[in-house]
């Protein structure tokens, strides 16, 4: 709590939902000569000042008024452009998210206007024995950011890479070799790169930044009932929410963190459950009962028609086959769902510590693999996302496990795992509604947005430049 760089002490800008719109005026922070004469600009500056005075006279909440003032300031040139480039080095792929903001001269708030999202696979952990190739995969993403951000802004644009569970699971020396190769790349990038710009991300930060992003985009940061954020990655899963009852706070003890927003401080529970990412859980279940060095596996959670299907995890190529069971037949090959379910439970439950038993009191926003698997099996719309329930995940798992699904050979396991994690692991009842997102208002759900806001608001060289 005393470390000035701790995310719990950093001020995260909370320009609520009305701020996130495409810029209809000049984005370059110029004098606005195209808008008229200097006399006209003075007139509108007076108008803005008058609007600010009205805010105070009539007692409007500043965050409700701020979006409109920010828009007015931007429209007539009273703001400047700022960019941030964040690279999310996940376990299954790396993504660059580059953001274009306008910072208002009136209240110093950041307005999100545009973003770039590009992804490359595999993840950095796949280059454990070839760091140079790993750095090259990041260079290709960096080139995308270069094309999005005008060159005159490179020197004032923070460039950050945070690696998540994939690199956490590697031997420390191999992970560090990859990070050093990326650091060498960043040193030549012409962007603004701090000493800690390339690192393995703490799971706490990942959860808090994701929670911030979701509630910012939903316009709920100023509310008393922020949404819980559930992020399912390949190697780990994060659960983050703000307990509604102050008496709950001591129960979670060391998992509570104070997040400062523009108008208040919020106590947040967050934890990253390492090993409960979708791919890590697959590996745990598929390799159950086998010695570590064995790579030809049979699993009770895979349909018997599947034979020697290639799957790579942790730089090891596995051959996965389904296992025969008494409920299956040549005419109707199926997975024994009950047997698979019990196996999944045995792998999930020991890792859910602490159990977020008050999560059920919150609206739940889920993303990443939660969203992807729901889309791939028709539970929600692939573009708009949508709402489903814990029970719907379980029923869809039973349905998929009961058919010989050659095109989605591991979907039976994936849905069984997700439903088990939500129901038995996190304690959500069958009827609990789960809102699934990939984007909100056209913006990707990613911890990267929260990270970008954090960098631009906590570092004086950006916030006061």
């Amino acid at each position: 709590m005393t470390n000035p760089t701790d995310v719990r002490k950093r001020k995260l800008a909370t320009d609520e939902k009305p701020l996130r719109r495409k810029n209809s005026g000049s984005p370059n922070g110029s004098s606005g000569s195209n808008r008229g004469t200097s006399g006209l600009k003075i007139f509108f500056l007076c108008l803005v000042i008058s609007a600010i005075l009205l805010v105070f006279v009539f007692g409007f909440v500043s965050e409700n008024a701020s979006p409109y003032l920010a828009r007015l300031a931007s429209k007539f040139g009273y703001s400047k452009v700022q960019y941030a480039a964040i690279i999310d080095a996940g376990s299954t792929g790396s993504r660059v998210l580059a953001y274009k903001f306008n910072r208002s001269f009136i209240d110093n708030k950041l307005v999100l206007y545009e973003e770039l999202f590009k992804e490359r696979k595999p993840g950095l952990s796949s280059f454990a024995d070839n760091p140079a190739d790993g750095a090259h995969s990041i260079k290709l993403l960096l080139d995308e950011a270069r094309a999005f951000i005008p060159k005159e802004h490179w020197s004032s644009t923070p460039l950050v890479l945070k690696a998540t569970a994939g690199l956490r699971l590697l031997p420390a020396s191999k992970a560090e070799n990859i990070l050093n190769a990326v650091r060498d790349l960043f040193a030549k990038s012409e962007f603004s790169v701090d000493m800690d710009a390339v690192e393995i991300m703490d799971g706490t930060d990942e959860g808090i930044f994701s929670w911030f992003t979701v509630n910012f985009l939903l316009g709920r940061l100023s509310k008393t009932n922020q949404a819980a954020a559930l992020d399912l990655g390949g190697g780990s899963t994060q659960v983050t929410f703000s307990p509604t009852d102050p008496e709950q706070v001591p129960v979670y003890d060391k998992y509570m963190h104070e997040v400062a927003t523009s108008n208040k401080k919020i106590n947040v529970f967050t934890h990253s459950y390492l090993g409960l990412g979708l791919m890590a859980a697959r590996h745990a279940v598929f390799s159950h009962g086998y010695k570590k060095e064995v790579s030809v596996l049979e699993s009770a959670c895979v349909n018997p028609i599947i034979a020697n299907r290639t799957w790579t995890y942790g730089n090891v190529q596995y051959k996965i086959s389904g296992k025969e069971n008494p409920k299956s037949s040549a005419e109707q090959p199926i997975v024994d769902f009950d047997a698979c379910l019990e196996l999944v439970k045995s792998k999930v439950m020991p890792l859910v510590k602490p159990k977020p038993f008050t999560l059920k009191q919150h609206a739940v926003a889920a993303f990443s693999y939660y969203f992807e698997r729901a889309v791939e099996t028709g539970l929600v719309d692939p573009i708009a996302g949508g709402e489903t329930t814990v029970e719907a995940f379980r029923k869809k798992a039973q349905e998929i496990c009961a058919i010989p699904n050659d095109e989605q050979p591991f979907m039976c396991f994936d849905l069984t795992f997700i439903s088990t994690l939500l129901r038995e692991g996190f304690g959500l009842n069958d009827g609990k509604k789960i809102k699934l997102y990939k984007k909100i208002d056209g913006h990707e759900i990613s911890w990267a947005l929260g990270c970008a806001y954090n960098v631009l608001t906590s570092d004086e060289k950006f916030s006061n430049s």
Side-chain angles (χ1 to χ4, degrees), residues 72 77 98 182 210 280 313 362 403 406 409 411 413 425 428 435 448 451:
L72 191 60
V182 174
S210 294
Y313 178 78
H362 301 266
I403 59 175
D406 182 70
M411 189 62 75
F413 165 79
L428 302 179
K435 289 188 178 293
C451 181

Side-chain angles (χ1 to χ4, degrees), residues 409-423:
F410 307 135
M411 189 62 75
C412 170
F413 165 79
D414 290 356
L415 293 179
T416 303
F417 167 72
I418 287 173
S419 68
T420 301
L421 187 64
L422 294 173
R423 188 172 184 252

Side-chain angles (χ1 to χ4, degrees), residues 139-164:
K139 178 187 179 299
L140 297 177
L141 293 176
L142 184 54
D143 289 343
E144 298 280 2
R146 290 175 185 275
F148 177 78
I149 302 169
K151 187 171 184 178
E152 61 268 24
H153 288 281
W154 290 358
S155 63
S156 59
T157 296
L159 175 62
V160 172
L161 179 143
K162 304 291 185 187
T164 55

Side-chain angles (χ1 to χ4, degrees), residues 2 11 32 51 64 151 163 177 202 248 254 274 289 312 319 374 391 408 412 419 424:
T2 60
K11 182 178 172 105
N64 292 332
K151 187 171 184 178
N177 287 340
D202 184 86
Q248 297 173 8
K254 63 180 180 180
L274 190 61
T312 301
K319 297 290 186 180
E391 183 180 28
Q408 299 171 316
C412 170
S419 68
E424 286 82 8

Side-chain angles (χ1 to χ4, degrees), residues 126-350:
S126 299
F127 302 98
D129 297 318
N130 199 336
D133 283 356
H136 180 71
S137 73
I138 300 301
K139 178 187 179 299
L140 297 177
L141 293 176
L142 184 54
D143 289 343
E144 298 280 2
R146 290 175 185 275
F148 177 78
I149 302 169
K151 187 171 184 178
E152 61 268 24
H153 288 281
W154 290 358
S155 63
S156 59
T157 296
L159 175 62
V160 172
L161 179 143
K162 304 291 185 187
T164 55
L167 258 63
R168 290 183 204 135
L169 293 169
L170 282 183
S173 60
K174 291 192 174 186
E176 194 62 22
N177 287 340
I178 294 173
L179 295 178
N180 284 334
V182 174
R183 289 179 183 122
D184 291 342
L185 172 69
F186 276 25
K188 305 169 186 175
S189 69
E190 299 183 65
F191 286 89
S192 179
V193 179
D194 285 345
M195 290 187 65
D196 61 350
V198 179
E199 62 181 4
I200 295 177
M201 189 180 198
D202 184 86
T204 296
D205 287 0
E206 188 174 358
I208 289 176
F209 288 150
S210 294
W211 175 87
F212 175 87
T213 297
V214 167
N215 284 284
F216 169 76
L217 294 175
L218 290 174
R220 298 182 71 149
L221 279 172
S222 64
K223 307 295 192 296
T224 57
N225 59 337
Q226 294 89 10
L230 271 56
D231 184 357
L232 179 59
S236 63
T237 186
Q238 288 74 43
V239 177
T240 310
F241 61 92
S242 177
T244 54
D245 184 351
E247 293 184 1
Q248 297 173 8
V249 174
V251 175
Y252 295 115
D253 193 19
K254 63 180 180 180
Y255 304 101
M256 294 300 300
H257 305 274
E258 187 179 80
V259 180
T261 67
S262 63
N263 64 340
K264 62 180 176 180
K265 294 179 179 178
I266 303 174
N267 286 315
V268 169
F269 165 91
T270 189
H271 187 59
S272 181
Y273 297 89
L274 190 61
L276 284 180
L278 186 63
M279 300 304 151
R282 264 192 200 176
H283 179 260
V285 169
F286 290 173
S287 62
H288 175 73
Y290 290 94
K291 293 182 179 180
K292 185 177 180 180
E293 63 273 14
V294 176
S295 61
V296 180
L297 311 172
E298 288 186 348
S299 176
C301 289
V302 177
N303 194 286
I305 68 166
I306 304 301
N308 294 319
R309 191 62 58 93
T310 300
W311 178 64
T312 301
Y313 178 78
N315 297 322
V316 177
Q317 189 175 87
Y318 293 91
K319 297 290 186 180
I320 310 296
S321 299
K323 181 178 289 187
E324 296 292 341
N325 65 82
K327 295 183 179 180
S328 181
S329 66
E331 295 76 21
Q332 191 174 7
I334 66 171
V335 170
D336 183 340
F337 177 76
D338 293 330
C340 176
L341 179 62
E342 290 306 311
L343 178 56
V344 171
K345 286 181 184 178
S346 73
K347 297 298 181 181
V348 168
M349 299 308 293

